[in-house]
Amino acid sequence: MMKTAIFPGQGSQAPGMGLSLYETSEHAKAILDRCEAAYGGGLLDVCFHGSADDLKDTAIAQPALFAVSVAAFHAAAARGYSADMVAGHSVGEYAALCVAGVFDVETGIMLVKARGRAMAAAAAANPGGMAAVLGLDAA
């Protein structure tokens, strides 16, 4: 059976994300510290102690999701998990590319930081929204 690692997109962020990984996995801590340094500081504070509103900001949410996703993968890998293939939804594609070895963590966090800022600026210039229709029957 093939094993797949799938990384989430924006919307799956939550206050406190990554904190337990940081405190319990030296491998996750190392990844998160590398992301924090490359980001320029402040990212982990928002992940660990920020509010849901803080994490709604696309410019923060996307680097936060990338960092925690890659850290979680490395924590799992340290316990023997391996993936035969990886995939990601939206910003999760960057985490998938990183763990697949396409680029390193520092490059990934900088790409996602730029992506998040660009998407936040585009959303501010062109306000809009998304909607989901859930729970309807076929009729």
Side-chain angles (χ1 to χ4, degrees):
M1 173 182 241
M2 305 240 347
K3 294 182 285 182
T4 305
I6 302 175
F7 299 94
Q10 189 171 339
S12 57
Q13 68 273 12
M17 62 189 257
L19 180 58
S20 63
L21 278 171
Y22 192 85
E23 294 174 339
T24 61
S25 169
E26 65 185 63
H27 299 281
K29 182 182 186 305
I31 294 295
L32 290 168
D33 285 343
R34 287 172 63 190
C35 287
E36 177 78 351
Y39 185 82
L43 181 63
L44 295 184
D45 186 53
V46 177
C47 287
F48 300 164
H49 309 294
S51 68
D53 282 341
D54 294 333
L55 286 167
K56 282 183 185 175
D57 180 354
T58 298
I60 298 294
Q62 293 197 7
L65 284 167
F66 171 85
V68 174
S69 292
V70 174
F73 182 86
H74 282 273
R79 293 178 171 231
Y81 176 79
S82 63
D84 299 305
M85 62 184 122
V86 295
H89 174 253
S90 191
V91 73
E93 294 171 5
Y94 289 81
L97 289 165
C98 182
V99 303
V102 174
F103 46 72
D104 62 22
V105 171
E106 290 80 7
T107 300
I109 198 74
M110 296 311 295
L111 288 169
V112 173
K113 181 179 182 180
R115 181 185 195 266
R117 287 182 174 173
M119 289 180 72
N126 301 287
M130 292 179 65
V133 178
L134 304 171
L136 297 179
D137 60 30

